Amino acid sequence: MELFVKIPIFLTLGQVLLAYASMTELRRKSHTEEFEGMSALFRAMSSSPNDGYTYNWSVVSFSTDGKPDSGLNCTVLYLDQCTSWNRCRQTCLKTGATSYRWFHDGCCECVGEHCMNYGINESKCRLCPEPGFEDEED
């Protein structure tokens, strides 16, 4: 008695394009949440990002008022690796972030105190999405 039945699968061009469109849409969708945050901790974490912590990340900082030396910079941390929504939330809490943005492609952004609208609404993690996930421009 055979337990497995082999069924040939044929995908139409329309089905492939629909799957591709769904994947690129994941890069645009995100989940956000605010925390009480610990500003001093977040500044310390973002000033020395790769000191043996669980994750490595990229730091992006920009002026929120158009004046480069005003001290009102929005700083975000993008985790390098893809992560789950819950892991993103927990990691950002531990960094002292005031909010986070988890993109549906697995990219996680921890957001600092002077940022508006949950930081940058763009998935910019170095190693996420994982290889094989096509960019919209390709």
Side-chain angles (χ1 to χ4, degrees), residues 67-84:
K67 301 174 186 172
D69 296 326
S70 69
L72 294 177
N73 287 335
C74 171
T75 300
V76 299
L77 306 176
Y78 281 104
L79 301 186
D80 288 344
Q81 303 287 331
C82 291
T83 187
S84 69

Side-chain angles (χ1 to χ4, degrees), residues 68-105:
D69 296 326
S70 69
L72 294 177
N73 287 335
C74 171
T75 300
V76 299
L77 306 176
Y78 281 104
L79 301 186
D80 288 344
Q81 303 287 331
C82 291
T83 187
S84 69
W85 166 68
N86 190 48
R87 179 71 57 113
C88 175
R89 183 181 188 280
Q90 294 303 315
T91 301
C92 291
L93 270 170
K94 291 176 184 177
T95 67
T98 57
S99 64
Y100 74 96
R101 183 183 295 271
W102 179 77
F103 295 91
H104 292 200
D105 67 359

